[in-house]
Amino acid sequence: MLTIYGAYRSRATRTYWLALELGLEFKSVPVLQARRLENPLAPDAPLNTLSPAFLAINPMGLIPAIEDDGLVVIESMAINLYLARKHGGPLAPATLAEDAHATMWSFFAATEVETEALKISSVAAMGKADTDEGKTQIAVASRLLERPLAVLDAHLAATGFMVSDRFTVADLNVAEIVRYAQSADALMAKFPQVKAWLESAQSRPAFKTMWASRSAEQA
Ligand SMILES: N[C@@H](CCC(=O)N[C@@H](CS)C(=O)NCC(=O)O)C(=O)O
């Protein structure tokens, strides 16, 4: 049995979305980010990233984490690649070359895109996108994202997907990271392949189911 530790308003969306794509039966254990709580260590605090019970699962105190028939895996990209490989089907890499590229693009997104993309989403989440300070932060992050997004755009122009010619775990992993920059309209407009590919990924029923759960979760 698969247990996903996470919150929908977190990087755990990646794993919830994938579990839905794969049609997996899973148990979701809500773990809130400690920063969302006034006193995360209070005896009556809900399970959170600083709770000793969760630190026993992930000593880094970060979500998502999974336990799959006794196997604990942390790090969202590793979790998703593991689940896809385990369950196979069209979302999984079918060859060693596809596996290399699924891993490569997942690392690419996590290391070359995520930090700056998160800056854009947090400016938007704080309602500062229209302030001078927010606009400057978005402009700086957008400039730093231009090269990796140009690389993705050129890559997507060939087949419309990250690996081979079908939607795989690599598309899901990369899409969930690029989503953090999606509100930067001027940036996205420069990369039409990325924009269209992201919107297409987000039109998938499993994404919509995940997104409905995310929207229902308290901000
Ligand atoms: N590299 C990790 C990062 C995980 C991470 O930073 N998760 C955030 C939520 S999106 C977290 O748990 N933060 C803990 C906190 O804010 O207390 C991964 O991809 O799984």
Side-chain angles (χ1 to χ4, degrees), residues 9-12 14 32-35 49-50 61-64 74-77 79 114 180:
R9 291 183 184 273
S10 80
R11 288 172 176 84
R14 302 160 189 183
L32 290 181
Q33 293 96 326
R35 65 176 161 74
T49 49
L50 287 182
L62 298 172
I63 48 176
I74 62 171
E75 286 297 328
S76 58
M77 298 289 103
I79 291 170
E114 187 163 57
Y180 296 138

Side-chain angles (χ1 to χ4, degrees), residues 198-219:
L198 186 54
E199 288 167 0
S200 164
Q202 293 171 346
S203 72
R204 296 175 68 86
F207 176 87
K208 289 184 180 169
T209 303
M210 175 280 283
W211 197 253
S213 299
R214 186 184 180 282
S215 304
E217 188 177 279
Q218 202 186 344

Side-chain angles (χ1 to χ4, degrees), residues 92-154:
T95 62
L96 189 57
E98 284 193 3
D99 198 322
H101 282 162
T103 307
M104 177 182 85
W105 287 118
S106 298
F107 274 73
F108 176 89
T111 57
E112 306 300 332
V113 178
E114 187 163 57
T115 303
E116 298 308 321
L118 271 173
K119 288 179 190 164
I120 292 173
S121 78
S122 52
V123 169
M126 288 187 294
K128 287 188 174 173
D130 292 325
T131 65
D132 285 348
E133 186 197 355
K135 282 182 193 163
T136 303
Q137 287 170 344
I138 291 172
V140 171
S142 295
R143 203 164 55 238
L144 291 166
L145 283 169
E146 282 193 9
R147 185 181 289 265
L149 292 193
V151 168
L152 287 179
D153 211 62

Side-chain angles (χ1 to χ4, degrees), residues 18 23 25 30 32 34 48 58 64 67 89 98 109 143 193 209:
L18 182 67
E25 208 182 303
L32 290 181
N48 65 79
N58 184 359
E67 187 181 338
E98 284 193 3
R143 203 164 55 238
Q193 302 289 339
T209 303

Side-chain angles (χ1 to χ4, degrees), residues 5-91:
Y5 296 88
Y8 280 92
R9 291 183 184 273
S10 80
R11 288 172 176 84
T13 51
R14 302 160 189 183
T15 301
Y16 289 122
W17 180 9
L18 182 67
L20 290 163
E21 289 280 357
L22 294 171
L24 302 182
E25 208 182 303
F26 66 91
K27 178 175 148 195
S28 175
V29 174
V31 181
L32 290 181
Q33 293 96 326
R35 65 176 161 74
R36 288 166 67 176
L37 299 168
E38 208 165 297
N39 185 358
L41 294 176
D44 60 348
L47 188 65
N48 65 79
T49 49
L50 287 182
S51 302
F54 179 65
L55 291 172
I57 302 286
N58 184 359
M60 282 300 289
L62 298 172
I63 48 176
I66 63 162
E67 187 181 338
D68 188 34
D69 293 331
L71 177 74
V72 172
V73 186
I74 62 171
E75 286 297 328
S76 58
M77 298 289 103
I79 291 170
N80 278 11
L81 290 164
Y82 159 75
L83 288 175
R85 288 171 184 137
K86 175 175 175 180
H87 295 284
L91 268 83

